[in-house]
Amino acid sequence: MAQKGKILLSVTGFDPAIWRTALEKAAPDRAIVEEPSGPNDPGIDYAVVWKQRPGVLNGLPNLKAIFSIGAGVDHIFAEGDMPDVPIVRIVADDLTERMSEYVVWQVLDHHRKGMLYRDQQARKVWNESKMQPAARDVTVGILGYGNLGRDAGRKLRALGFKVIGWSRTAKTGEAIDTFAGDNGLNQFLALADIVVCLLPLTPATHGILAAPFFARMKARGPLGAPILINAGRGGLQNEADILAALESRKLGAVSLDVFESEPLPGDSPLWTHPRVTITPHAAAASMPEALIPPMVEQMDAHDRGEPLKNLVDRDAGY
Ligand code: NAP
Ligand code: GLV
């Protein structure tokens, strides 16, 4: 078997072993290395990264593209000095379906009063809430109506919810009402009873989920105060402002999968707040066996001269 160019696997924050195993299986004709063989290693063609070791991508003269093992690429841009090669992000049914499961789970939990009934069960209280709206009377606003937002929105509509979307660029021909830009955000927030945030973390979205945003949300709706679900990135949210908004009832309840600092520190008041649901950045895990084979297929196709798919727009940051 003719050897192709090497793949550099640079993963920090967790053990890269399962990614290495998947790469070795999908690309038996490429060496998988976790460090360049020296400065300016000419043998590396592609990099597969999650929070790459700082500097590891620089000075590789034949690097053709960087592949993120997540849908988000903020972890790559966190390193300021980056080689000017294409960056490919994950767009895969496996990850999309996992995210939609999380979104539907959390929306239904808030809609069907999961927090209330779990509390009642703990106290052996039998009391049916008379305030159960129908899904058709609840509007779910998807902040970040992109690949993940669209699929989650479709599944929520199948359950009967009204769904609206917000994005950076205006959309046409959508089956739902969509809004764009800052003016559009006002219209969007005036309608949404549950806001699901699936935005990427970029300079434009950093810290968006903060007091001024909560002040613009709908004051009351069929579920009482509005609900926030954030599975985008922790850097989108201001956790002190979320706690203040819960106290002032600008927010009725929140589900957070992502945090300003991960793991969420043990002394965060979010852990024990009765109207906060916490999951440990588990909304949509990247599964190597699902994601690596198409990644390697893209590398081989690119070597044959085909264009790369799912490219990141460096100016937009996602
Ligand atoms: P995507 O397809 O690129 O969609 C992003 C959406 O956000 C697009 O609709 C985009 O608008 C919109 N957007 C970006 N910047 C905006 C801005 N400044 N104002 C308004 N809208 C803006 O990305 P995706 O695949 O859906 O993934 C979204 C994010 O989910 C990822 O970046 C990652 O952070 C997060 N994620 C989290 C987990 C988890 O386990 N918690 C797992 C996977 C992904 P346009 O349509 O106009 O481009
Ligand atoms: C996970 O957070 C991802 O970006 O895929």
Side-chain angles (χ1 to χ4, degrees), residues 239-303:
E239 287 162 17
D241 287 4
I242 288 177
L243 285 159
L246 285 165
E247 288 323 298
S248 65
R249 297 272 167 180
K250 281 198 166 60
L251 284 173
V254 301
S255 294
L256 303 175
D257 182 61
V258 287
F259 299 90
E260 289 173 23
S261 173
E262 295 180 5
L264 180 63
D267 61 357
S268 169
L270 290 168
W271 279 114
T272 49
H273 196 290
R275 285 180 284 125
V276 177
T277 295
I278 287 173
T279 46
H281 201 139
S286 288
M287 305 306 274
E289 62 277 16
L291 304 184
I292 287 293
M295 214 180 265
V296 170
E297 277 162 32
Q298 274 232 68
M299 294 173 192
D300 291 345
H302 187 245
D303 283 353

Side-chain angles (χ1 to χ4, degrees), residues 57-105:
L57 300 175
N58 289 325
L60 302 174
N62 295 319
L63 184 66
K64 296 176 187 169
I66 301 165
F67 287 74
S68 168
I69 61 176
V73 292
D74 48 294
H75 64 97
I76 298 179
F77 287 122
E79 182 182 352
D81 189 16
M82 290 276 302
D84 188 17
V85 298
I87 300 174
V88 180
R89 68 193 196 87
I90 293 288
V91 177
D93 289 350
D94 186 83
L95 186 129
T96 304
E97 286 160 10
R98 287 168 193 274
M99 180 58 86
S100 292
E101 285 176 15
Y102 168 85
V103 171
V104 169
W105 169 39

Side-chain angles (χ1 to χ4, degrees), residues 4 15 84 93 138 169 201 223 248 256-257 290:
K4 297 177 181 165
D15 183 1
D84 188 17
D93 289 350
V138 175
T169 55
L201 179 61
L223 303 174
S248 65
L256 303 175
D257 182 61

